[in-house]
Amino acid sequence: MRAQYDKEHFRKHSLPTPFYPRMAELSQDSSWHCWKGYLSADYFENVELEYFAIRNACSVMDLSPMSKYRIRGQDAEAFFDRMVTRDMSKLKPGRVGYSVWCNDQGKVVDDGTIFRFGEHDYRLCAYERQYEWLMISSAGFDVDITDETEGVAALSVQGPTSFAVLSKMGLSGIETLKPFGIVHFPYHGGKLMVSRTGFTGDLGYELWVGGSKALTLWDELFEAGKHYGIRAIGTHALDIARIEAGFIQAGDDFTPANHTIRKDHDRSPFELGLGWLVHLDKPNFTGRRALIREKEKGSRYRLVKLDIDGNKPAHASYIFHGRKKVAGVVTSAVWSPTCKQNIAFASLEVAIDDPLNDLWAEIYYQRELQWNRVWQRCRVHDEPFWSPPRRRATPPGLF
Amino acid sequence: MTDRYDALIIGAGHNGLVCAAYLAKGGQKVLVLERSEQVGGAAITREFAPGFKVSACAHILHMLQPKIVRELKLKTHGLNLNGPPIETISLAADGNKLTICRYNIEGAEVSDTDKVAYTRFIKRMERHARALAPQLLKTPLRLANAGFGNVIKLAGMGWDIRFGLGKKRMRDFLRIIGMNIHDLLDEVFESEALKGALALDAVLGTAMEPRMPGTVVTYLYRLAGGLKSIPTLPMGGMGSVTVALADAATSFGAEIRTAALVETVLLEGGCAVGVVFAGGEEVRAPTIISNADPKTTFLKLVGARNLEAGLAHRISNLRTSGRAAKLHMALNSLPDFTGLEQDALGNRLVIAPSRKYLEHAFNHSKYGEFSAAPAMEITIPSLADPSLAPAGKHVLSAIVQYAPYDLKGGWDAQKDTFVERVVDVISAYAPDFRDKITTVECLTPVDIEREFGMTGGHWHHGELAIDQMFMMRPTYGTAQYRTPIDGLYLCGAGAHPGGFVMGAAGHNAAQAIIAGDK
Amino acid sequence: MNKYDAIVIGAGHNGLTNAAYLAKSGLNVLIVERNPYIGGATVSRELYEGWTYTNCSYVSSLLRPEIYRDLNLARYGLQVVPFGGGATLTQSGDYLGSYTNHEVKRREFARHSLHDADAYERFSTDVMRYCRFIRPFLLRTPADPTSFKPKDLSELFFLGKNLYELGEEELYEFIRFFTMSVAEFLDQYFESELVKAALSGSGLIGTALGPYSPGTAYVLLHHYMGDIDGNVGAWGFARGGMGSLAKALAGALQEHGGELRTDAPVAQIRVRNGRTKGVVLESGEEIDAPIVVSNLDAKRTFLKIMDQKDLPDEVVERAQNFKIKGSSGKLNIALDGLPEFPQFPVGCPLIKGDLHITENFEQLERAYDDWKNGTWSKWPYVDMMIPTLTDPTMAPPGKHMMSVFVQYCPAKLADGDWTPDKREAFGQTVIDAIATFSPNFKDLILHTEVRTPHEIEAEVGLTAGNIFQGDLSFDQLMFNRPFPGYAQYRGPVKGMYMCGSTTHPGGGVMAAPGANAAREILADLGRENITPEDFGDD
């Protein structure tokens, strides 16, 4: 399979997504970054306001750069069941499942969501590019794999008023859509797919259309949402929300195994706190043998959610045991505006059943170019920092 | 259905039979399953024309491990190794042949310097081969993460080489193993005829030519396997070896079922628990051992989907395309090879007049063509064993290189041309050859794949190159005979130490299984 | 004064590096060079008025940054500037470009194969892992695996530790990598013929091997393990040509009090009572020194400038059998303007990098077949660059210089020795091949210097014109380079050392052999080690 680029593709490093014309109008400072080859907004106007759109109203984020693959064929279920750690026979048509997948050494290649459209029809949505890994994993299976990244435009619509906005748009029936459900609507001669999924830990949906309908969707969505506090957001705001929600991010909280150069710099699902996704009772999946061994022998690392004293975000801080022995390092950290907590994820080199008390973060922060250091006590948090009941309510409330 | 057997072996090739015999000898209930009507896999003797019989693939026995012959008492089971010992004769079109014996050479225009050099060279190479030889009958080590015991074994291996060879020879060893045979021969010899004939030994059965690094390893490997045996043409053809092995195995209590085509390895909970035949019948046993090549075993019998993705990828990347063809010719009388007496015809005759000849023969195969002038190893086994042909008639058997598996345009359309080419080449050395031929059978790699089930028609079940040898044969993670599928083992040429009619893979697999059971 | 602490023979980059370190340590050092100019094969010369030809080595990446920094080469005028770009052109008018931006580069791969675009990431990760493994060994002396000396055992332990740290699967892959052909290696990742051919070139440059020859995967690594400012795998131009590197090294040498003599060809290394006494020049002049370091290749060192009776038989035999095959040629072309490559869109930056015209393994392998048959490749592999697009000092404004490295070109032809006619025919073959892609190329040519292995040997003194001073095959790497038992820079005669690319870690303008040899010499003299250590972990 070849991608449809012509020789001129070099003229811009990052390509615009189908929503770019609208986003460019909103972007006050033209602050963009490259997300897998596409222009993605850091923010449009103000990170704080955008963050509160997620938690208070309705946020819209362009998800189009996500790597999207369509997997179709008789063996599609068996293919996924062998590739990912989760038991895929439990994922019914019309449902979405989150999973990780590993290499033979049981280290995480990537995480992502798997959409089951029909008996033999799936979409995989991943952060990293996975085409080659899908091809490698497909040997022996009757499946057809196509890259849909370019053709499918997607918006993440998240926040307490998101249901109201979509209802206002006329997407009737959406009230019965449960978390991780999928529903399809005819849309201006094409199709609109809505899944009740997201990366914010809040009530929210993701909308998927063909690229040609992207601007229509944007316009209709914003028209419907104008009385519901709708606001376009960039990745900075999302990053706060996803840490509150307890979602890890490839490249931040772990290095995908296929990109790891140094030994032991990759991570197993157990080491990322994703043991609940690993179904070792399946007869075969890639990484199973190594994960069984790891389960027997114990993991080397564990990823924990930390509630840290004070209000200085512990970016890249070392975490110590009793302020003496290095236990690990913070991978993501943020001040949670909703929880009013100083939260972080940290990867600790600690046996899985070791007690985690007396943890301290050594935090550096800057004031007027002056660097200061504080020690703050950390408490391990088992649950997500933020998980409101509205996230699961069906039908959801309007606000 | 209860398990009537402790172990099932898929394929009654020589390695499967060796493995069966050892396991049965160790007290296990073994059932060997062979898809053909006769046992032997590719090590069989078969009739290719009325009254004419020949060893189907390998035709010279030179590496069958004496330990196996002894321990399995193959001689009492009918193995006759009393055929006349054979030497190598490198043919020359002008009749100026070169005779290569184990420690000395005669003929052609080989200088006295080369004669002396040859004896020294072989002794030097045999010393290196002796450093390798013990590894042939051992399970390859794992390199890391396998515990302290392995580190000790690894250090022991280094120690063996260092003290087995001494400082000077170890240096020589460590230098030449990285070399190509072309340059090594240049360091030692003057005569191109001699260099050509010796280079053939390094590339026979491989997808290599003399200038390729790694060819010294294959040369040493061949020497290492044959250190303790004398090359011979087995009486009754190669099939006599497997018949004796089958007899030995059954005498120890193993059962053999022929015409039993295993379609899949039965898996439960990710473990191998039995096999399913083409008709749907199942047989169960806690240990399943495959004598099939790794691609057949993993990708067909087990199925890529039942493997983890990385392993499946590595298996499918194995280089298993054969480049050697086998030609069998029924002759109404002995051909007259220029400069060769009748009684010399029982030897191993090779056509490899120079390294350039081999190189040019190989060049075609790189581009999906067969050699314009192929190199050959020829035997006329009916001389030592008249039972192979009707009275007064003869059989000629030739390994012909290079004939690539993936020939451009396909073999169907070009096989006749290829046979013509081979006959032309032999005729250059035996002008009356063409008139003697009554029937020809040509087994291209495609035929070998079809008939014997070897993927790519590769004699060794996979290229014998350093990256596919030792602890990397067929690929790491399966190189210790045990596979990642619990209960499934490999015992064929695709595992260490590879092909030839050595029996070592079967022997080692049986030892690993017995040791693992304890 | 005719007496020195040490004499270095050959002012190539390694000789200069070696001499610079010896001088820096306080020794009284003389470096002698047979040519009227220094640099050996790292040289810039004005062979056509107004044009500077970097007429042997032409790009830099492997030069050890530790040495660059340690000897203050920047102060003596060295600037290595990355070029970026590069492409492999196809006859059909397409190409595979090598863009500097990650995403653009990925799209360029995806244009040919989506699979390969992803696979390139896995390939880069694996190759980077091997680079990381190999780099710490570049500034170390190889262990003798047969020795029980504490130093060798600790070096072996270091090797074992580094191997272990790869991880088990990676270790097997690494061993496989070392023994595979570049074609087999790339086949494991890629499906596009063009992608594979484009990436395989690095496995062939300077070797007498084809893409299907085992061992070429390592050569690929040899060309990937360098860096520019930590950007591993990047290549650049030395501003002013590669001669700037030699000049900078000479600057460092002279700053530390070392002496440099050109036009001083050495006839012989003098040995008395098993000890080096000095050298005698072809002029008959004798120069004394207890230490003599040869920057020449092993064949020339032992068979030309040493008396065989001073050497153990084994060394003579090893030198005779040393593999140093000539396989490369070079064209340096002065151009009246910028050649057009119409397959590139206007403004495309790819032309600034290395351009190639081979689109599949078969073409490369057939090019190699020609070499094996004793003739130059009819459709050669070329590594062509236009340094003037990056470095304005190389030609008058608006004019350009093109450097074309060519493979394969044998040192000896099947039909006899090289003659000027054959050399011209070789050059014409290359020019015709390039002209297939650039319609105005031939019209722009003002002057061409054609160098076959014959010229490279005659002018530079590299046996058979081998750019690495000896094949980079396993039997001649690490503890086998140049010979087993003599891989620690010490020659067979007391006081005699080797410092050329003929020693570990080999060629490619690394300067590592020169520094490593200096470390051993200083150790033998009981002096403090002043050579730099590896920067570590990048």
Side-chain angles (χ1 to χ4, degrees), chain B residues 27-285:
Chain B
Q28 300 206 14
K29 283 287 293 170
V30 182
L31 174 64
V32 186
L33 303 162
E34 169 57 43
R35 66 173 202 164
S36 312
E37 299 287 341
Q38 69 180 113
V39 299
I44 54 168
T45 308
R46 55 168 210 171
E47 195 171 63
F48 68 98
F52 290 89
K53 286 184 278 185
V54 74
S55 306
C57 282
H59 49 191
I60 297 172
L61 196 59
H62 61 117
M63 286 170 82
L64 181 64
Q65 298 298 298
K67 178 176 186 262
I68 295 170
V69 175
R70 196 172 60 241
E71 289 179 350
L72 298 181
K73 303 193 172 65
L74 294 185
K75 287 183 182 162
T76 65
H77 291 289
L79 179 64
N80 182 351
L81 294 176
N82 298 330
I86 55 172
E87 312 293 2
T88 296
I89 296 176
S90 182
L91 301 175
D94 61 1
N96 202 354
K97 67 179 192 297
L98 172 69
T99 306
I100 304 175
C101 306
R102 185 148 182 176
Y103 294 114
N104 56 294
I105 45 172
E106 273 315 317
E109 271 138 23
V110 174
S111 66
D112 287 345
T113 338
D114 269 1
K115 285 181 185 167
V116 177
Y118 176 75
T119 310
R120 277 184 47 198
F121 175 72
I122 290 298
K123 291 196 167 154
R124 171 178 161 212
M125 291 299 121
E126 284 195 349
R127 263 193 301 266
H128 293 328
R130 269 198 289 279
L132 275 179
Q135 303 308 323
L136 298 181
L137 286 172
K138 281 184 188 163
T139 298
L141 291 175
R142 284 179 58 191
L143 281 181
N145 300 357
F148 189 63
N150 240 350
V151 175
I152 295 291
K153 278 188 196 160
L154 211 62
M157 226 170 93
W159 190 266
D160 279 354
I161 294 176
R162 173 68 180 78
F163 282 95
L165 289 170
K167 186 171 190 142
K168 221 179 136 176
R169 290 189 191 125
M170 181 177 174
R171 279 181 176 160
D172 188 42
F173 179 73
L174 291 178
R175 182 179 73 94
I176 67 168
I177 51 167
M179 283 181 73
N180 66 42
I181 194 82
H182 179 279
D183 293 350
L184 181 65
L185 294 171
D186 265 346
E187 289 184 4
V188 182
F189 300 115
E190 297 163 353
S191 155
E192 190 51 49
L194 177 58
K195 294 179 197 176
L198 293 175
L200 178 69
D201 283 351
V203 300
L204 202 63
T206 72
M208 296 200 280
E209 53 101 350
R211 278 201 219 241
M212 285 182 159
T215 39
V216 170
V217 173
T218 48
Y219 181 79
L220 284 177
Y221 212 65
R222 203 180 163 83
L223 279 185
L227 274 179
K228 291 180 186 154
S229 19
I230 297 158
T232 176
L233 294 169
M235 291 293 126
M238 205 49 88
S240 70
V241 177
T242 45
V243 168
L245 279 168
D247 197 48
T250 39
S251 79
F252 293 123
E255 290 174 40
I256 299 172
R257 241 171 97 173
T258 53
L261 176 61
V262 172
E263 199 132 85
T264 48
V265 169
L266 188 64
L267 299 172
E268 276 174 11
C271 306
V273 295
V275 300
V276 185
F277 295 108
E281 185 200 342
E282 286 180 17
V283 184
R284 285 170 177 257

Side-chain angles (χ1 to χ4, degrees), chain C residues 454-483:
Chain C
H454 176 77
E455 281 74 35
I456 297 174
E457 169 155 7
E459 291 171 26
V460 186
L462 294 167
T463 300
N466 183 302
I467 65 168
F468 297 131
Q469 278 201 345
D471 295 4
L472 288 181
S473 50
F474 304 118
D475 51 316
Q476 298 189 163
L477 283 176
M478 302 277 286
F479 53 83
N480 282 331
R481 191 168 186 88
F483 326 134

Side-chain angles (χ1 to χ4, degrees), chain B residues 48-49 52 327-335 393-396 419-427 430-441:
Chain B
F48 68 98
F52 290 89
L327 252 83
H328 304 137
M329 301 193 190
L331 307 175
N332 53 27
S333 66
L334 279 179
K393 312 209 167 179
H394 286 281
V395 173
L396 180 139
V419 171
E420 275 306 300
R421 195 70 61 76
V422 175
V423 173
D424 281 348
V425 169
I426 300 179
S427 298
D432 64 348
F433 180 63
R434 187 177 289 277
D435 308 333
K436 311 278 182 181
I437 306 168
T438 53
T439 313
V440 180
E441 179 191 45

Side-chain angles (χ1 to χ4, degrees), chain A residues 83-155:
Chain A
M83 184 172 112
V84 306
T85 58
R86 254 184 119 158
D87 182 352
M88 291 303 290
S89 64
K90 301 217 167 81
L91 185 72
K92 301 296 171 212
R95 302 286 299 163
V96 184
Y98 169 72
S99 189
V100 291
W101 48 100
C102 298
N103 61 13
D104 284 21
Q105 287 77 52
K107 303 299 184 184
V108 176
V109 169
D110 200 3
D111 64 343
T113 40
I114 299 159
F115 295 71
R116 185 167 192 175
F117 297 150
E119 197 57 33
H120 304 303
D121 188 1
Y122 290 79
R123 175 181 292 155
L124 173 74
C125 203
Y127 182 76
E128 292 292 325
R129 281 146 179 151
Q130 297 297 331
Y131 189 70
E132 193 213 7
W133 188 250
L134 291 168
M135 295 304 281
I136 287 176
S137 298
S138 70
F141 292 94
D142 176 16
V143 287
D144 179 54
I145 299 167
T146 45
D147 185 341
E148 294 185 328
T149 306
E150 187 81 27
V152 176
L155 289 176

